[in-house]
Amino acid sequence: MSPHPAANHNSSSQHTHSITVFDYNETQLTKTTPTDLRAYGATKKKANTVTWIDIDSSRASTLIEDIGKIFELHPLILDDLHQGQQRPKAEDYDDCIYLVLTMIRYDRTRQTMVPEKISLILFPHLLLSYQEGRAGDVLDPIRTRLENNQHRLRRLGSDYLMYSIIDAVTDHYFVALESFGEKIEGLEESLVKNPDPATLNALRRLKREIIYLRKSAWPMREVIGFLERADSRLIKASTAVYLRDAYNHAVQIIDTIETYRDMISGMLDIYLSSSSNRLNEVMKVLTIISTIFIPLTFIVGLYGMNFRYMPELAWPLGYPLVLAIMLVITLGMIYFFRKKRWF
Amino acid sequence: MSPHPAANHNSSSQHTHSITVFDYNETQLTKTTPTDLRAYGATKKKANTVTWIDIDSSRASTLIEDIGKIFELHPLILDDLHQGQQRPKAEDYDDCIYLVLTMIRYDRTRQTMVPEKISLILFPHLLLSYQEGRAGDVLDPIRTRLENNQHRLRRLGSDYLMYSIIDAVTDHYFVALESFGEKIEGLEESLVKNPDPATLNALRRLKREIIYLRKSAWPMREVIGFLERADSRLIKASTAVYLRDAYNHAVQIIDTIETYRDMISGMLDIYLSSSSNRLNEVMKVLTIISTIFIPLTFIVGLYGMNFRYMPELAWPLGYPLVLAIMLVITLGMIYFFRKKRWF
Amino acid sequence: MSPHPAANHNSSSQHTHSITVFDYNETQLTKTTPTDLRAYGATKKKANTVTWIDIDSSRASTLIEDIGKIFELHPLILDDLHQGQQRPKAEDYDDCIYLVLTMIRYDRTRQTMVPEKISLILFPHLLLSYQEGRAGDVLDPIRTRLENNQHRLRRLGSDYLMYSIIDAVTDHYFVALESFGEKIEGLEESLVKNPDPATLNALRRLKREIIYLRKSAWPMREVIGFLERADSRLIKASTAVYLRDAYNHAVQIIDTIETYRDMISGMLDIYLSSSSNRLNEVMKVLTIISTIFIPLTFIVGLYGMNFRYMPELAWPLGYPLVLAIMLVITLGMIYFFRKKRWF
Amino acid sequence: MSPHPAANHNSSSQHTHSITVFDYNETQLTKTTPTDLRAYGATKKKANTVTWIDIDSSRASTLIEDIGKIFELHPLILDDLHQGQQRPKAEDYDDCIYLVLTMIRYDRTRQTMVPEKISLILFPHLLLSYQEGRAGDVLDPIRTRLENNQHRLRRLGSDYLMYSIIDAVTDHYFVALESFGEKIEGLEESLVKNPDPATLNALRRLKREIIYLRKSAWPMREVIGFLERADSRLIKASTAVYLRDAYNHAVQIIDTIETYRDMISGMLDIYLSSSSNRLNEVMKVLTIISTIFIPLTFIVGLYGMNFRYMPELAWPLGYPLVLAIMLVITLGMIYFFRKKRWF
Amino acid sequence: MSPHPAANHNSSSQHTHSITVFDYNETQLTKTTPTDLRAYGATKKKANTVTWIDIDSSRASTLIEDIGKIFELHPLILDDLHQGQQRPKAEDYDDCIYLVLTMIRYDRTRQTMVPEKISLILFPHLLLSYQEGRAGDVLDPIRTRLENNQHRLRRLGSDYLMYSIIDAVTDHYFVALESFGEKIEGLEESLVKNPDPATLNALRRLKREIIYLRKSAWPMREVIGFLERADSRLIKASTAVYLRDAYNHAVQIIDTIETYRDMISGMLDIYLSSSSNRLNEVMKVLTIISTIFIPLTFIVGLYGMNFRYMPELAWPLGYPLVLAIMLVITLGMIYFFRKKRWF
């Protein structure tokens, strides 16, 4: 049944990866940084300590093949490790549980959400975590906590360690959502006051980001829900309580995302309305000016005609009379517009 | 399994909190206001009376740690008590049920909905309620009702007390929705009559508020539904009947919220339509005025030209003829517009 | 367990209510109009006839308390009877089933849908119906049918009587929907022809009405579905077949409501489009007139200048030449607009 | 339990209906056209042949009462037969299954979808079909197929006959959808090219039709799904396979309807956009013409003033200078518009 | 039960089809290209090798009837094979599983998505695949892989071969989605910069394509989900793991489609907004020009009147004064527009 019977152990020679192995229980902790993993195949069976093999590597690396051979992983897991950004998922392979998580980091310089993939493989007393580049930073607080022998992380098993990583990842969503919320807040201000194309562009970018956030948050919830309900011997009942809590966090993340989504799509409507308001205002000014002056201009044109026989031109009071008539017309217009509440 | 074996009882010394303990059954009621809770750990086991420990405290307080130790609460409950506004939820921890409720209070001065968190922990004959600031006001009618030894609250258990608090919270939603309904009513009036940017802004605020209301009302329904269906020894069948009623109230709240939501999103469409109607009206006036005067102005300009050889200028009837032509043009235009039903 | 042990029977003295009691089986029918219900408590146990206690009363009446005591109803039922308009619901209280129905009556004078609440309490051989004001009119055909001893209503039990009332209520929905459909029909006509603010207002009112209709029709379906599926000894299998039919009617009502809703929201789009079409038409006229006359007016202004040295003014053919140029420009413009298909 | 014990057989005397009875098995077929059905009550029990009683009648006919008495149908079935257009439904009455199907026929002369009701009552070896007017045409191919003793219709039971009718009905949906698709295709062409009110009207009609189609297609799917899953002794497992196929067809119909619906609602957006594009184009022409000529007209007006002391008027080069200035302004404007990419 | 007892084997004489038969196990592979299938009926029973009968044929061919007789297929399968493009589906016929898959190929020359149907019939050690025209190209990599006796395809059964084909088909969706994504990307650029009717048309085409993609992707997911969950003896547990992976791919495809759909419908809003922005900009220029010059033109017209008694005309400073007044008006206007932030 094992799909890789003859494993050759020599390929993990190029050191483009970094491996850290934590081996701990309530009383002791050893931390090593081996260059390859040949020696760790046996940790799958060891039960007195929990082993965390924390791998930071490029997914092009041949290390993945080695891991597959050493820990006898299903070929589909190896295929997945080789892939780039994926939909979060959880799969139960009898002897292990395989997880793909998507971490969202808000990159302040590029002003955008960056998704990063973290893969976890859970055995009874062993956890493998595999990530690329900066994604591993999210695990720093867990590394620190492990050093503290008072922390419950040290007393509980590999499933609790897995929970801690999930929890760290969901926490990063909250951080990302917070900066997202600030951007919405900022945009709402300028929406009614100053609806220009830059606002529209910002809105479009926000909409796009929230679509991406949503795309990774929903399956995260499924994944955690799957783990909580999974009737697997790999996850203890006491850990399931913590997973329920993580599940609630995931639901809260989705709630917030949906709220933001509603707000953004509302904002586009508001934008259109503001825009149409502005057009109305502009049009009203044009209409008022035009409507007042067009008749007046006609009148002055009338008496600019060069007909030889125009009796009014010779009247001594012709000019003041025309001025008076134009004043009356102007006042009449203004009264009409006031009545129409156009200004 | 208990995560806090050695509890030290000395930390609740700063009195930034107020604790009221009601201990009652059908025949008697004692009300005390202790400064700390060390003496009340035993109330978990006592079965002849119901104890309500009603805590009003800042969530930064060290009191939370003490509560955790005294009543042997799961660390996740303590984490939650420390947090600010949360999604309503209900969790069953074998020996107790933990609830987070969100109360909505309409703040008339700030003209907005204020969410407030109330946490409840239900034991067989004990209920802990924990809230911050003004949120506790919602419990006043329950406090009063307890003094009345005729009330069924006195005859029934801690689960009925929990129901009463839930009921008081849902009642506040109805109050908030009523003032919300009035605002919608008011806005609808000015929507068709006078669609200006202020209306749009008010609409935007309403939309935002309803999004928030919705966000807390849906999980409230889930929470009550969970309690009603929960097959827990902590909730008696007779109380489940009352919870079914509370559930129906929650459904009614959501129905009303959804109705308002539909109405608000309809109102934006109406706003846009009204706005476009107004623009049409403005444009029509402009068009009519321009279309009438532009040709007339051309004619008067024509006879204002200074060509030496313009025979019409010398005709004695030139002027009246031009006036007559312009009158005919004007009447023709008016007839055209009438036919087009533009005014 | 009975929450009202000591019932005092003296409070139903003010006669603001009307009570009609029908007591019938296949062979006999008695109809009485008692002033209070003290004598009818025993009808709960009597099995040889069906009793219908048909109460028409203001909900402020003290009668409700009496009913509660006489028929030993759960306090939550009494609370509900006291309330105004409610969401339709069905609740199974072991010894009885409690129903709230919402009747929709189309009030032709106020031109609007009026919701009215009817409460039913079903016992094995007894049905209490409780309604306020004109709502009871819907039951008239049932009252008539009871007099006819050939009708199956006389042969079947209290559950069939309950079904008959539900059926009468759903029938009224169809009547209301029919007049609603006529209004939509009428509005669609004027939508494309004459999209003015009055149409918009009518549309808004329709939209609001359909929201209200929907709000009461969906829970009606739930209620009937609950009764059909309820595995209660109060509802016989032969009646469940009729309830299935009533359920199908409720589904058809909802289908029609959703269809109307789709049509109304489509109509708003059509309104906006028609409105924008009209604006286009208006703008085109303005553009054509302006575009033709603006250059002409410039030319006549040009030769209205008073420069001493303008050779054209002295040309004998200056005037006809300018007229010819202007004619060419006009024809060119008209050709351009025709090519653009603007008129 | 039979609701019509004393059946009087004399009412089906007015011959406004046509009845065709097919009685067949694999080896033989008899086809008769009786005037009434009194003699066929016994066919319910006969098991060696399948009987199809194919009734084409006005629903006002008294024939329905007769059918009810002869075949001992539930009164609710009779009520339904009397009704006009209904929601498709399937109901299992222990001894028979009652179906209402809605056939959609595309009426090319009235250019609209016409719904027609077909009712089926399935007994173990008997099928009654009941329809009005032209609806029965859809059954013609089945009538022809029955004559062919090679066809599997002759070997299989009344349930397969029912399936064949359902299949013929769903096939007609595909025909209707095809002509619908052609109309959409045609409209899409003229949408971008020539978005006038006629297009809008056509779009509105299509939208309305698809709403109606949808309203009958969804319950058709439910009906077939109900039959497929129904664990009834009236439907053999071998027929359930065919029903599964019919169910897939119904799903495909709904898919296509939803696709068309999406396309139509997208088309309205496109219409609005095209319309707004046209307005933009018109406005741009107006703006360009106005913006160029308005300043020029001012300048020529300036030198049309009659002030005694205007030195420019006396300059010999005044006129050519003004012409030059105006040329410069015009070229500047054109450059500005080009830069703005307005034409 | 077999519907085709007497099979005549002479009809597959016209060679418009191509048949390739692979017969393999871990150690051997034979590949033949027979002209008809009469000899292969027995492969249904043979268990020591897996047989893949790969048929590329026009669906009008009589070959389908032959296949039906030789492999004793249900008549509904034959009906389906005869049909053109169909909704993907999976059906379990006790002795075999019948699959219809829809392959999406992006045709770069016609710039559109082309759906192609592939039918699979799975027996315990036999797989029939049936496709028309170019659809078979998608199977090329599988044909190649079969030649490699190291590949797991050679070790595993006909169900794994079926999985491999499903996997190849889903992979093609990813390719199609990628080119779709590029088009969206390209369009987004020109959306804000240059929203012209061509963009609108491109958007409409994209919208239409995504509707079609969606229509085939959703049932693909259902089909794979059905196979994964199917408790059929035809699919081994080890293959179900692979199907779970294919299911995840299908979910990812749908996620991406839904994301693109959201983006496209957002883009139409953006288009409308950009379009309205442009109109605003145009209108503002028109308003500013008009509003400044209309009063000025009036003034110059005023002093172009030919009244005999206009004292200003004779003032030596009349002309400069009027020029100054006009300058003041112009500056006032500019100040007003600046304050209104119109430019």
Side-chain angles (χ1 to χ4, degrees), chain B residues 112-249:
Chain B
T112 184
M113 303 289 175
V114 182
E116 279 165 350
K117 176 185 167 185
I118 296 180
S119 306
L120 301 182
I121 304 165
L122 174 73
F123 290 98
H125 298 86
L126 171 66
L127 184 81
L128 273 93
S129 70
Y130 188 98
Q131 66 273 345
E132 232 185 315
R134 287 201 47 195
D137 297 0
V138 72
L139 306 181
D140 279 346
I142 296 164
R143 291 178 191 121
T144 311
R145 239 177 278 159
L146 266 184
E147 318 258 327
N148 170 6
N149 67 3
Q150 293 299 331
H151 200 278
R152 60 179 175 251
L153 195 52
R154 289 284 288 279
R155 286 194 312 274
L156 300 167
S158 60
D159 53 344
Y160 186 84
L161 178 60
M162 175 195 72
Y163 155 75
S164 302
I165 292 175
I166 291 172
D167 196 45
V169 168
T170 50
D171 273 1
H172 266 246
Y173 274 86
F174 284 109
V175 173
L177 283 175
E178 209 168 307
S179 48
F180 197 87
E182 283 164 22
K183 281 205 236 171
I184 286 186
E185 206 82 16
L187 211 55
E188 278 215 317
E189 287 289 296
S190 66
L191 202 63
V192 176
K193 281 192 208 149
N194 194 21
D196 63 8
T199 320
L200 186 61
N201 238 333
L203 210 50
R204 190 173 59 82
R205 272 202 309 273
L206 279 189
K207 186 159 193 178
R208 198 171 179 162
E209 266 178 31
I210 205 86
I211 288 173
Y212 283 126
L213 261 178
R214 223 179 146 234
K215 201 180 158 185
S216 64
W218 279 91
M220 279 292 286
R221 195 190 66 158
E222 280 169 38
V223 162
I224 303 174
F226 171 85
L227 292 174
E228 189 202 332
R229 286 184 313 272
D231 203 22
S232 166
R233 66 185 169 87
L234 288 165
I235 296 172
K236 285 187 277 292
S238 61
T239 303
V241 173
Y242 288 97
L243 285 169
R244 188 177 64 185
D245 194 61
Y247 182 78
N248 278 332
H249 287 167

Side-chain angles (χ1 to χ4, degrees), chain C residues 252 255, chain D residues 80 83-90 98-106 113-120 130-132 134-136 138-139 162 165-177 209-224 227 250 253-254 257:
Chain C
Q252 204 167 344
D255 265 25
Chain D
D80 277 348
Q83 275 177 43
Q85 197 51 46
Q86 261 179 304
R87 200 174 185 272
K89 68 176 176 181
Y98 174 62
L99 288 188
V100 177
L101 303 177
T102 295
M103 202 191 85
I104 284 291
R105 199 161 41 80
Y106 183 70
M113 303 288 175
V114 182
E116 278 163 353
K117 176 185 166 185
I118 296 180
S119 306
L120 301 181
Y130 188 98
Q131 66 272 345
E132 233 185 314
R134 289 199 47 194
V138 72
L139 305 182
M162 176 195 71
I165 293 175
I166 291 172
D167 196 44
V169 168
T170 50
D171 273 3
H172 267 246
Y173 274 86
F174 284 110
V175 173
L177 284 175
E209 265 179 29
I210 205 86
I211 288 174
Y212 283 125
L213 261 178
R214 223 179 146 235
K215 201 180 158 184
S216 65
W218 279 92
M220 279 292 285
R221 195 189 67 159
E222 281 169 39
V223 163
I224 303 173
L227 292 174
I253 288 166
I254 286 172
I257 288 175

Side-chain angles (χ1 to χ4, degrees), chain E residues 43-99:
Chain E
T43 53
K44 265 178 77 170
K45 269 103 195 177
K46 197 171 57 169
N48 58 332
T49 56
V50 174
T51 309
W52 174 19
I53 302 176
D54 176 8
I55 306 166
D56 203 325
S57 168
S58 138
R59 70 192 136 94
S61 163
T62 58
L63 186 64
I64 290 170
E65 302 313 318
D66 294 344
I67 296 172
K69 286 165 201 155
I70 296 166
F71 299 100
E72 293 168 7
L73 301 179
H74 194 279
L76 283 171
I77 297 183
L78 302 188
D79 287 0
D80 277 347
L81 288 177
H82 274 300
Q83 275 177 44
Q85 197 50 47
Q86 262 180 302
R87 200 175 185 271
K89 67 175 176 180
E91 282 173 355
D92 189 346
Y93 289 89
D94 289 341
D95 65 330
C96 69
I97 287 178
Y98 174 61
L99 288 189

